Amino acid sequence: MPEKPSIPFSEPPYLAGLPSPYYSSSHLKWQKACRAFIDENLNQYALDWEREEKVPPEVFEKFAAANMLIPTLPAPLPVEWLKRLGVRNILGAVKVEDWDYLHTAIYTDEMSRSGLSGPGASLTTGMSYGVPPIIKFGSQDVQERFLPDLLLGKKRICIAITEPDAGSDVANIQTTAVKTDDGKHYIVNGAKKW
């Protein structure tokens, strides 16, 4: 039975020893490994990085090397792609084909334990929002060109949706990208906040 938390309600009930019909031994193993990794590589420095408004690049590299950017993707994970790239599990705790939304919820919970959103979000937001559209809507050519480096954390991705008049309201974006007549370039017109 898990150890009871010293501060009431500071842990999810399943970690406080209460029975759960949802959390399996796989989830408990994942939570333990996930917490240890995040405490060591993120939480102990999170306040300093929040103040500095910058997370050192080597932190992203550590997360990437441990496949700890992948859990920010929606379940089910892109198993075929991950296995093709040699990724079989996350932290040796969960096989990629066994990953479910509860594993994702545990990851999200552990990433937020510092109480600061900046450092964790700076590591995962691009993967969260930029990679799923490529997996779901990208042509085979686009997937082949971008997914290997993105899934392994060799390259980063972002989305550019903020505008002065739309914020992050994607439906109200005014910026356009029109291909040139020769089809080689795009002409982008509009305004961005950052």
Side-chain angles (χ1 to χ4, degrees):
M1 180 175 246
E3 194 175 302
K4 291 194 179 199
S6 58
I7 300 171
F9 307 108
S10 63
E11 295 286 5
Y14 77 96
L15 289 180
L18 297 173
S20 171
Y22 308 107
Y23 293 93
S24 67
S25 59
S26 168
H27 298 111
L28 294 173
K29 183 178 179 183
W30 165 243
Q31 183 277 330
K32 202 173 231 171
C34 185
R35 179 167 292 182
F37 181 88
I38 291 170
D39 279 352
E40 179 183 337
N41 295 289
L42 179 66
N43 287 344
Q44 67 176 321
Y45 309 106
L47 186 56
D48 294 333
W49 296 335
E50 181 79 9
R51 285 185 183 127
E52 295 166 13
E53 297 183 1
K54 183 174 178 139
V55 176
E58 60 269 14
V59 178
F60 183 86
E61 292 164 12
K62 280 184 188 176
F63 269 70
N67 299 319
M68 282 296 281
L69 301 172
I70 293 167
T72 195
L73 294 172
L77 296 176
V79 174
E80 187 178 314
W81 265 105
L82 293 172
K83 286 190 170 187
R84 189 171 145 194
L85 297 171
V87 178
R88 304 275 185 259
N89 62 67
I90 312 291
L91 293 182
V94 185
K95 293 179 182 176
V96 294
E97 64 267 22
D98 293 339
W99 190 267
D100 62 29
Y101 282 106
L102 291 176
H103 292 101
T104 302
I106 292 166
Y107 176 79
T108 303
D109 190 46
E110 294 301 324
M111 286 291 283
S112 65
R113 284 186 74 238
S114 73
L116 304 167
S117 62
S122 73
L123 297 169
T124 61
T125 302
M127 181 74 87
S128 299
Y129 292 101
V131 173
I134 295 173
I135 292 170
K136 187 167 181 154
F137 303 110
S139 68
Q140 189 63 36
D141 179 56
V142 167
Q143 290 184 12
E144 295 287 341
R145 283 179 58 206
F146 297 106
L147 286 180
D149 285 343
L150 291 170
L151 291 171
L152 295 176
K154 293 178 181 176
K155 289 194 177 173
R156 296 181 90 159
I157 189 170
C158 67
I159 55 172
I161 59 171
T162 54
E163 291 185 352
D165 297 324
S168 59
D169 179 3
V170 179
N172 284 314
I173 287 177
Q174 304 294 315
T175 300
T176 61
V178 179
K179 237 181 199 179
T180 57
D181 291 337
D182 62 9
K184 293 181 180 179
H185 306 281
Y186 282 93
I187 297 175
V188 179
N189 287 301
K192 294 291 176 193
K193 283 176 107 169
W194 297 286

